[in-house]
Amino acid sequence: GTECLDWLPGHYQDEEGAAGCKVCSAGKYQDVAGSADCKLCPAGKSSSEQSGAASDCVDCPAGSYSPVDGSECLLCPVGQYGDVAGATACKDCPSNTDKEGATECKLSCPEGQVPVDGICKPCEVGSYAKLGDDSCTKCSKGFYNNIGGASSCSICPVKTYGPEEGMKECKPCDGNDAEGMTECKIVCPAGQIVKDGKCEECPAGQYELEGE
């Protein structure tokens, strides 16, 4: 060649007599042409490769961090989280066990309890919660629950029924011959039939046929 050329911003060359230049790596930049090294983004910030200005150093997003000057943004590891941008370290959260890069600490409550304003609270009677649930669920029709902090509901026994969700106890019904019934089965005495939900006498000259 006939002349030495300065390389562009975002590049550097630390070896004499080299034919080309090197690219500034992520977390670094160079805003002066012909430099022998790259400048470092401050901790908490990083840049993309080949950055040519200090303004290219931007805050690491939530869920990541940059621990030292010139570092890339690293995802918060399992067991930690990062809820703000520009962090130099992540915060501990033992319940975050499923993924990297968490942006919040998910409270892990035992069965029968759910997180409310950062603390675990037991479900009310008539409801339940499985492990890891975010909210309590009402007992289905035909089921009940008469204790707080339960992880399941009990089926309504024979001779009872549960017509609504979230029942604390089942209602009595002598005619119900199966568990988990949601309606009261009306059983009329001999000579009467069910009509419009009530027992009525058979008309004169007729009689009740068993099972109808």
Side-chain angles (χ1 to χ4, degrees):
T2 58
E3 60 180 324
C4 296
L5 301 175
D6 285 341
W7 27 95
L8 298 173
H11 299 75
Y12 74 103
Q13 182 52 266
D14 54 359
E15 299 177 12
E16 292 186 4
C21 55
K22 300 177 182 179
V23 173
C24 290
S25 59
K28 303 176 182 180
Y29 71 98
Q30 184 50 263
D31 51 0
V32 179
S35 297
D37 58 13
C38 297
K39 299 176 182 178
L40 307 181
C41 293
K45 297 177 180 287
S46 192
S47 63
S48 58
E49 284 189 354
Q50 202 172 319
S51 292
S55 58
D56 292 336
C57 296
V58 295
D59 286 343
C60 292
S64 66
Y65 69 108
S66 169
V68 295
D69 293 351
S71 170
E72 296 182 60
C73 293
L74 308 173
L75 289 177
C76 291
V78 171
Q80 296 186 337
Y81 75 106
D83 56 351
V84 296
T88 59
C90 299
K91 303 173 183 178
D92 289 332
C93 180
S95 60
N96 279 352
T97 59
D98 55 345
K99 65 177 181 178
E100 296 179 317
T103 57
E104 60 181 354
C105 185
K106 185 176 181 181
L107 188 64
S108 181
C109 296
E111 289 185 335
Q113 299 185 23
V114 294
V116 179
D117 296 330
I119 61 174
C120 294
K121 290 191 175 182
C123 294
E124 296 181 352
V125 292
S127 64
Y128 69 98
K130 298 291 187 183
L131 184 66
D133 284 353
D134 292 326
S135 61
C136 299
T137 302
K138 288 184 178 181
C139 295
S140 302
K141 293 181 179 180
F143 291 79
Y144 75 103
N145 186 326
N146 57 10
I147 58 171
S151 61
S152 63
C153 297
S154 301
I155 192 168
C156 289
V158 174
K159 295 187 180 299
T160 69
Y161 71 111
E164 303 170 0
E165 294 182 343
M167 295 197 68
K168 303 174 185 178
E169 59 182 14
C170 302
K171 297 183 177 182
C173 179
D174 289 340
N176 284 357
D177 53 3
E179 295 180 331
M181 296 190 71
T182 59
E183 297 179 353
C184 184
K185 181 180 177 181
I186 300 175
V187 178
C188 297
Q192 297 187 5
I193 60 172
V194 178
K195 187 174 182 180
D196 298 329
K198 300 178 181 179
C199 292
E200 291 188 359
E201 299 283 347
C202 289
Q206 298 181 0
Y207 69 99
E208 177 218 358
L209 182 63
E210 186 176 353
E212 293 188 358

